Amino acid sequence: MNITKQVEQLLKQGDVDIFLAYRELDGHLIPHGYTLDNLEDLENLKVSQHRYSLEKVATHLTEKKPNLKIGIVARDCNQRALNLLYTWNQLSPENITPLMVNCCPSQTRNHSDCTYLEPKKTGTFKQKKGIDFNENPREFMDNNDNGQRFSRWMYEFSKCIKCYGCRNICPVCFCTDCSLENPDLVEPGALPPEIPIFHLVRATHMAGRCIDCGLCEDACPAEIPLRFLYREMNRIVSDVFDYTPGAGLEKSPFTIIGNEVTLEPRPMDA
Amino acid sequence: MNIELLTLTEVTAISGQEGDITATLVQHPRYVDTDKCIACGLCAEKCPKKVPDEYNEGLGKRKAIYVPYSQAVPLKYTIDPNNCLYLTKERCGLCETVCPSHAINYLDQKKEITLNVGSVVLSTGFKSFDPSGLDHLSFGKHPDIVTSMGFERVLSATGPQGGHLVLPSDKKHKKEPKKIAWLQCVGSRDENRSKNSYCSSVCCMYAVKQSVMAMDHSKAPLDCAIFYMDMRTQGKDFDTYLEKAKDNGVRFVRSRVHTVMPDPHKGNLVMTYVDELGALKTEYFDMVVLSTGLEISADSFALATGMGIELDASNFINTNSFNPVSTSMPGIYACGVFTGPKDIPQSVMEASAAAAAATEGLAVSRNTLTKAVVKPKEREVAEDAPKIGVFVCNCGTNIGGIVDIPAVAAYAAELPGVVYVEENLFTCSQDTQDKMVEVIRNKGLNRIVVAACTPKTHEELFRETLIDAGLNKYLIEMANIRNQDSWVHSDEPEKATTKAKDLVRMAVAKAFRLAPLFETQLPVSPSALVVGGGIAGMTAALSLSRQGYPVTLVEKNQHMGGNGRQLCKTWKNEEIAPFVKGLIADIEADGQIQTLLGATVESVEGFVGNFKTTVTSVDKTQLIDHGVALIATGAVESKPTEYAYGQHKAVMTLLELDALFMEKDTRLEKAMEVVFIQCVGSRDKEHPYCSKVCCTHAIKSAMAFKKKNPDTGVYVLYRDIRTYGQRETLYREARKAGILFFQYDLDSKPVVTPGENRVSVEFTDTILGRRLCVDADILCLSARIDARDNTHLSQAFKVTADSAGWLLEAHQKLRPVDFATDGVFLCGMSHYPKPVDESIAQAKAAAARALTVLSRNSINVGGIVAQIDPERCAGCGGCVEVCSYNAITMDPEREVAVVNDALCKGCGACAATCPSEAPSLMGFNNDQLYAQIKSALAV
Amino acid sequence: MTIKRITFVQEMLKFMGLEGRLHLEWISSAEAQKFARVVTDFTEKITHLGPSPIAGQTRSISMEPHENKRRKHEYHKAG
């Protein structure tokens, strides 16, 4: 059964009150909520490479109507985001019906690394001064000393126009009140924001939450390699906390006071 | 306010009866007026007379005017009249000249005080055994042979060497020891040389602790060896600590050392001893610590005998197992080492137990003599613009001698919001406090900054001052320009002054944003719920009822008594069955105690003072309102999985053997060979703890066989005999009676082979070095004691258990019967295996601690607690998870987190966790903290 | 918990090229010597590393509390 039929069935049987997917409009795909009232729209339902954090829309809807039953077209990354939102009480699994679609239309790349994100183009200036999107974070560590790393990051961050696009697109940014808009921490009206603090605050808040969908990096108009940054954060979280956000329904270790820790404080000269 | 502290005071006479006792006291002169002394230390600095310091075990010096140690209460100086030059020879008088508050009074006289009291508690503690008389240990002949008390001082940061582990013989405090030996049982378990036949209970554990700490303190690898007879680490978590010490490399040698001598050639100490295999060994050490035992001082002896109190052969107060804190004189109670050697947790428990016992008879007069103070009405200042008053303290010369106080004061005057600045010699002195109250009123100050010392010691004092001035007590901020500034930068006065300005600027920035915080009074339900109807639960219930509070006692079984029903006698030969029957009868006759049999706790709501608990029994469910809860669910003897248990009728546990004794079973008469195996299922990898009671229990049962028939062969196979305290008497008698003891280790456990009527037990005698075999008619296994499954109860009351299932007290040493959750207390074996007397002491202690809540009409909640802004809360539940006190719950309606003020301890973990800053810790909210940080950076 | 979080931040700062500027040590109130040693050593280490490259980025901040769009922290009466 094709997806349009499935959605129609879900709506008609009352399994979901609204189904979140994409709709083609003037040759573009935009996020759209299908309901019984606009069944005719279903003919424009399309699945393609394009993505949007539909879970975020689901979170906002749930906030207004806690018992709303929501269907959602989901790839692997959406599913990880959903899992994370379940563990953080933002959505409850009983109210969500994901319809899984293929992650990777080309069938040639590996699912586990999510993403059909095309290799990004990095210009030569960016390669020289900043960070190559496609570099492996471990190689970045090996190829650059402390000072080089710092200057490359500062180059990248200094381009920030504080548009909050990274936060706005992020499926797991669900706070009602964002610290990055707190005038005590981030001075309003100043550009670029205080770097690298602004970006590190966000990175810290993403630790244990980021499900590596890469939408932030896609959304950034300044081409700051955010996914590159959060991917390394995720590696640390996995090493230190033995936790992969969104992999399951496990609670984030960031809020649990563990019993026993085998880690030792690092010596000062390390 | 309601504790009057009489220092330098002795009891000279006691007369009258419980409820109406006249105590005559003598207070010796201090020569320092405690109301005036501000403990600035100038007097001691100038005093020319140096005296060996008793507190540091003579390893350091003090002056003739002194405070005994830095935590002394009250923190006031005192003159030692035997050494003061003025009092002995009328020369000097320097302290009087330098004292800035005129506190010295050379004419102070001793006073006689008469008190009318209801009861008396003796807690005079112990004296450490003096090993000077033991010539074979050479104490006093070489400075590097120290007592354990001396070694405590060596390790202590306030000790004579500032916590550096260096040899006392090295006057330059440079040379560090590389090898240290501890000798156990010096002045304990020794009738021949010390007359102290008992075990001092605490020395094994403190020696292990000292060895671990010494290794920690030592920069180079340190060789630590402990020479012992039996390792008696029977307390909670002690065995785990012991095993860790072994893993860290502390050597344990089972041997009683017979000679320690200074080696005149090498300059260190030479020790000879016989090892476990009988070989004579010689070893050199840099330092030897004598683990000296605990004994009763001559003064305590005179005090007790003067009151007509019965003592035992070792001068400990005679108590019985069922009344562990009562002396032979009604109305006089005792706790701590005066009733027998014991460690800190047990002493603290007994102290609370004595408080319960001493007040049970006085309940009717509760609060008739207590004092209360009337406070002025609080001024509304929340909406007013800040008018900050800054008080800058010189602390004598402590701060003023380094920091340029006038410059700091002038700087403070320029800061935004500051309307008044004052310099004080001592901001904390009583006259300054009075003046401060006036100034706050006259100048209309509404936020106060005190730039002085640490809030840890003085914030409470200044809060009181604010209350007296009619200000909300949370409107003060302290800048610590002494401990964090003048003391640590004494050689850089200019920089210290700059730093003082920084600290004041930060404090003012915070004070600017201080808001009054309020506390609310919640009424207390004046009743208790006790869970568990064993000896501990019943004792606690009766104690609370005698104090005048109704109790609901919940017991899972259809009858009360718990493990007590299965026990035969205590080690002092007291019959347990009649005692338990008596308890049950008392409970049943007590109109204030409601007993629910066959009942369990279903769920608990509420918090300290206001619990609502649902209890279900077979036929009904009821909701009980109570102010406090006591958990006494006990423990259970495990069923062994080894030594042919369950396969042969000759093999049984201690409780099963007790049952045979109570039934007067004929098998006991016929038994010719009886073997006991200790530590069955205990002290191994899976169950690292010691079950504490089994050594005594087994030896007592073994003695019962010997008493029936002295020809019965009785063998005890043990790892360490742990007849701690006066129980050692029992062990000695057992050996005298011909009971044979064989030591085994985990890697050489006995082997049991079932035969037709008997079981054969094979084991190694380490002294003969041979395998021996006994065909036993009865093989009694000292089975491990297991914790009960308290999972449901722990979740309901929000209390925790350790990995072995023992309920976890708030602090092992200092709060042994409290849970971290307010208003919930624990006693008996649910805490850890323990004998009857300790269970009873703990039960009374729990009752006393519960009284601290019940005796209040209301509890204050609020103040420095977290509060969650519902508009910012995304309802993610992160703060709920991170709260150690279970003070945060989700409001299901609004889907936001809510803090329960009564449970919140103000730790701030929630505020640190939330990415949206929805929780703020009142008095430390983010606005205030950011302001302080920004102010710190804004130079 | 603390140690895990701090390890995380240490690793993050390392990635940013700000290695070595965060140190964690457990020191009890009884360990004055240790405290002094750790602070001295760390001060020495930081002096050696030189001033933080992000120093100076911090904008000058006014001492006056600015009008905050956010709610003032006020205490609700408990109960």
Side-chain angles (χ1 to χ4, degrees), chain B residues 820-863:
Chain B
T821 308
D822 283 346
V824 191
F825 306 90
L826 81 166
C827 56
M829 293 219 285
S830 55
H831 161 255
Y832 193 67
K834 56 175 67 71
V836 170
D837 52 339
E838 291 174 23
S839 274
I840 291 176
Q842 201 181 8
K844 281 194 185 291
R849 297 291 301 147
L851 272 179
T852 61
V853 176
L854 292 176
S855 60
R856 279 184 274 167
N857 294 325
S858 59
I859 49 162
N860 284 7
V861 300

Side-chain angles (χ1 to χ4, degrees), chain B residues 398-411:
Chain B
N398 262 310
I399 302 171
I402 312 292
V403 173
D404 183 350
I405 296 289
V408 174
Y411 178 78

Side-chain angles (χ1 to χ4, degrees), chain A residues 1-63:
Chain A
M1 194 163 34
N2 76 21
I3 186 156
T4 315
K5 281 266 179 310
Q6 284 185 50
V7 174
E8 190 176 345
Q9 202 173 331
L10 284 173
L11 284 167
K12 282 187 169 161
Q13 289 173 353
D15 292 339
V16 302
D17 301 322
I18 184 167
F19 192 90
L20 302 176
Y22 303 92
R23 172 188 175 199
E24 191 167 27
L25 190 74
D26 302 335
H28 291 282
L29 286 193
I30 57 162
H32 187 71
Y34 298 90
T35 63
L36 279 177
D37 299 336
N38 59 3
L39 276 179
E40 67 280 7
D41 287 351
L42 275 173
E43 63 190 69
N44 294 320
L45 194 157
K46 280 262 166 63
V47 177
S48 76
Q49 275 198 337
H50 297 284
R51 310 184 291 150
Y52 187 76
S53 44
L54 295 171
E55 316 76 70
K56 189 150 189 154
V57 178
T59 310
H60 288 316
L61 288 173
T62 303
E63 213 175 288

